[in-house]
Protein backbone atom coordinates (compact mmCIF):
# COMPACT_ATOMS: atom_id res chain seq x y z
CA UNK A 1 0.00 0.00 0.00
CA UNK A 2 1.47 3.37 -0.97
CA UNK A 3 1.27 5.92 1.84
CA UNK A 4 2.63 9.46 1.86
CA UNK A 5 4.62 10.68 4.85
CA UNK A 6 1.82 12.73 6.37
CA UNK A 7 0.84 11.41 9.79
CA UNK A 8 -2.90 11.21 9.10
CA UNK A 9 -2.46 9.42 5.78
CA UNK A 10 -0.05 6.91 7.31
CA UNK A 11 -2.42 6.36 10.22
CA UNK A 12 -5.25 5.76 7.75
CA UNK A 13 -3.08 3.31 5.85
CA UNK A 14 -2.12 1.57 9.10
CA UNK A 15 -5.78 1.12 9.91
CA UNK A 16 -6.30 -0.39 6.47
CA UNK A 17 -3.24 -2.64 6.76
CA UNK A 18 -4.24 -4.24 10.07
CA UNK A 19 -4.52 -7.64 8.47
CA UNK A 20 -1.20 -7.51 6.57
CA UNK A 21 1.42 -7.70 9.27
CA UNK A 22 4.90 -9.06 8.72
CA UNK A 23 5.86 -9.46 12.39
CA UNK A 24 4.67 -11.85 15.05
CA UNK A 25 2.18 -14.66 15.06
CA UNK A 26 -1.38 -14.27 13.92
CA UNK A 27 -3.74 -13.36 16.69
CA UNK A 28 -7.42 -13.99 17.07
CA UNK A 29 -9.91 -11.45 15.67
CA UNK A 30 -10.47 -8.60 18.10
CA UNK A 31 -7.10 -9.10 19.76
CA UNK A 32 -4.95 -6.17 20.85
CA UNK A 33 -2.84 -6.15 17.67
CA UNK A 34 -5.78 -5.62 15.38
CA UNK A 35 -7.81 -3.49 17.74
CA UNK A 36 -4.96 -0.94 17.95
CA UNK A 37 -5.44 0.04 14.32
CA UNK A 38 -9.21 0.10 14.82
CA UNK A 39 -8.81 2.45 17.77
CA UNK A 40 -6.61 4.73 15.69
CA UNK A 41 -9.15 4.67 12.87
CA UNK A 42 -11.81 5.65 15.40
CA UNK A 43 -9.76 8.62 16.56
CA UNK A 44 -9.30 9.65 12.93
CA UNK A 45 -13.02 9.42 12.17
CA UNK A 46 -13.93 11.45 15.27
CA UNK A 47 -11.41 14.17 14.37
CA UNK A 48 -9.24 13.63 17.44
CA UNK A 49 -6.07 13.81 15.34
CA UNK A 50 -7.02 16.91 13.35
CA UNK A 51 -4.26 18.91 15.11
CA UNK A 52 -1.79 16.68 13.23
CA UNK A 53 -3.51 16.78 9.86
CA UNK A 54 -0.65 18.42 7.90
CA UNK A 55 2.27 17.37 10.10
CA UNK A 56 4.91 15.11 8.54
CA UNK A 57 5.44 11.92 10.49
CA UNK A 58 9.11 12.71 11.13
CA UNK A 59 8.13 16.08 12.65
CA UNK A 60 6.08 14.58 15.49
CA UNK A 61 7.74 15.64 18.72
CA UNK A 62 6.88 16.28 22.37
CA UNK A 63 5.79 19.87 21.67
CA UNK A 64 3.46 18.72 18.89
CA UNK A 65 1.99 16.07 21.17
CA UNK A 66 1.35 18.78 23.79
CA UNK A 67 -0.53 20.73 21.14
CA UNK A 68 -2.55 17.60 20.35
CA UNK A 69 -3.25 17.10 24.05
CA UNK A 70 -4.45 20.70 24.38
CA UNK A 71 -6.68 20.39 21.32
CA UNK A 72 -8.29 17.28 22.79
CA UNK A 73 -9.04 19.12 26.03
CA UNK A 74 -10.41 22.06 23.99
CA UNK A 75 -12.80 19.62 22.27
CA UNK A 76 -14.19 18.76 25.70
CA UNK A 77 -12.68 15.29 26.12
CA UNK A 78 -12.23 14.07 29.67
CA UNK A 79 -8.69 13.56 31.03
CA UNK A 80 -9.16 9.79 30.80
CA UNK A 81 -10.21 10.02 27.14
CA UNK A 82 -7.24 12.28 26.35
CA UNK A 83 -4.96 9.76 28.04
CA UNK A 84 -6.42 6.95 25.90
CA UNK A 85 -5.98 8.91 22.65
CA UNK A 86 -2.35 9.72 23.48
CA UNK A 87 -1.68 6.09 24.44
CA UNK A 88 -3.05 4.98 21.06
CA UNK A 89 -0.87 7.59 19.29
CA UNK A 90 2.16 6.24 21.21
CA UNK A 91 1.27 2.70 20.07
CA UNK A 92 1.01 3.94 16.48
CA UNK A 93 4.36 5.74 16.71
CA UNK A 94 6.01 2.56 18.03
CA UNK A 95 4.48 0.69 15.09
CA UNK A 96 6.05 3.27 12.74
CA UNK A 97 9.42 2.96 14.51
CA UNK A 98 9.39 -0.83 14.05
CA UNK A 99 9.03 -0.21 10.33
CA UNK A 100 11.89 2.32 10.45
CA UNK A 101 9.65 5.17 9.31
CA UNK A 102 10.77 7.20 12.32
CA UNK A 103 13.98 6.87 14.31
CA UNK A 104 12.76 7.83 17.76
CA UNK A 105 9.38 7.58 19.44
CA UNK A 106 8.87 10.91 21.19
CA UNK A 107 7.90 11.05 24.84
CA UNK A 108 4.17 11.38 25.35
CA UNK A 109 2.97 14.21 27.62
CA UNK A 110 1.46 13.02 30.88
CA UNK A 111 -2.25 13.54 31.38
CA UNK A 112 -3.20 14.03 35.00
CA UNK A 113 -6.25 11.98 35.86
CA UNK A 114 -8.60 12.89 38.66
CA UNK A 115 -8.12 10.80 41.74
CA UNK A 116 -11.25 9.45 43.26
CA UNK A 117 -11.53 9.38 47.00
CA UNK A 118 -12.93 6.23 48.45
CA UNK A 119 -16.27 6.67 50.10
CA UNK A 120 -16.93 4.71 53.23
CA UNK A 121 -20.62 4.35 53.98
CA UNK A 122 -21.83 5.50 57.38
CA UNK A 123 -22.60 2.91 60.07
CA UNK A 124 -26.32 3.39 59.41
CA UNK A 125 -25.85 2.85 55.66
CA UNK A 126 -23.76 -0.25 56.37
CA UNK A 127 -26.49 -1.58 58.67
CA UNK A 128 -29.17 -0.98 55.98
CA UNK A 129 -27.10 -2.79 53.39
CA UNK A 130 -26.51 -5.71 55.74
CA UNK A 131 -30.23 -5.94 56.50
CA UNK A 132 -30.93 -5.99 52.75
CA UNK A 133 -28.62 -8.96 52.27
CA UNK A 134 -30.14 -12.43 52.49
CA UNK A 135 -29.12 -14.23 55.69
CA UNK A 136 -27.02 -16.93 53.97
CA UNK A 137 -24.82 -14.33 52.24
CA UNK A 138 -24.22 -12.06 55.22
CA UNK A 139 -20.95 -13.74 56.25
CA UNK A 140 -19.57 -13.35 52.73
CA UNK A 141 -20.86 -9.77 52.58
CA UNK A 142 -19.30 -8.88 55.97
CA UNK A 143 -15.98 -10.53 55.15
CA UNK A 144 -15.76 -8.60 51.89
CA UNK A 145 -16.59 -5.34 53.63
CA UNK A 146 -14.23 -5.84 56.53
CA UNK A 147 -11.35 -6.93 54.31
CA UNK A 148 -12.02 -4.22 51.73
CA UNK A 149 -12.39 -6.66 48.86
CA UNK A 150 -14.32 -6.09 45.68
CA UNK A 151 -16.73 -8.82 44.62
CA UNK A 152 -14.45 -10.31 41.94
CA UNK A 153 -11.49 -10.35 44.34
CA UNK A 154 -13.43 -12.35 46.89
CA UNK A 155 -14.55 -15.09 44.51
Amino acid sequence: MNCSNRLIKIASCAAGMSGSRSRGPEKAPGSSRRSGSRKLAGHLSRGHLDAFRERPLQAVDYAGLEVLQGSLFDRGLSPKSVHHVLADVRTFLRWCARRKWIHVVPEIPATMLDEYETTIPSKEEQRKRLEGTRPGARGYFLARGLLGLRNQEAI
Side-chain angles (χ1 to χ4, degrees):
M1 190 173 279
N2 185 10
C3 300
S4 76
N5 72 343
R6 296 284 180 210
L7 178 67
I8 299 300
K9 288 183 181 177
I10 292 174
S12 298
C13 288
M17 292 171 29
S18 65
S20 61
R21 296 181 306 277
S22 60
R23 294 176 41 111
E26 283 294 317
K27 294 189 122 192
S31 66
S32 62
R33 249 186 209 199
R34 291 185 187 193
S35 65
S37 60
R38 281 193 216 119
K39 288 179 185 176
L40 192 63
H43 297 313
L44 287 167
S45 68
R46 290 186 292 274
H48 292 168
L49 302 178
D50 284 351
F52 275 12
R53 180 141 317 268
E54 295 302 319
R55 185 178 294 263
L57 180 62
Q58 293 76 14
V60 175
D61 58 1
Y62 185 82
L65 292 170
E66 283 183 317
V67 169
L68 174 63
Q69 182 183 44
S71 73
L72 294 171
F73 279 121
D74 291 345
R75 291 179 67 118
L77 270 67
S78 71
K80 189 170 184 178
S81 294
V82 170
H83 173 76
H84 285 288
V85 171
L86 291 174
D88 292 339
V89 168
R90 177 181 51 227
T91 300
F92 168 70
L93 292 173
R94 286 180 181 162
W95 182 84
C96 291
R98 282 193 305 269
R99 283 153 183 76
K100 309 254 187 275
W101 294 348
I102 59 174
H103 298 289
V104 177
V105 176
E107 183 181 343
I108 303 294
T111 304
M112 300 307 292
L113 301 176
D114 296 333
E115 289 192 30
Y116 296 98
E117 291 195 31
T118 56
T119 55
I120 300 172
S122 67
K123 293 288 183 189
E124 184 174 320
E125 179 65 27
Q126 292 175 26
R127 194 173 299 110
K128 285 181 183 177
R129 288 182 187 180
L130 185 58
E131 289 170 359
T133 306
R134 68 179 203 282
R138 287 187 182 172
Y140 172 76
F141 181 82
L142 281 173
R144 270 189 34 224
L146 293 173
L147 294 173
L149 297 174
R150 292 179 287 228
N151 194 36
Q152 292 300 319
E153 295 171 330
I155 294 177

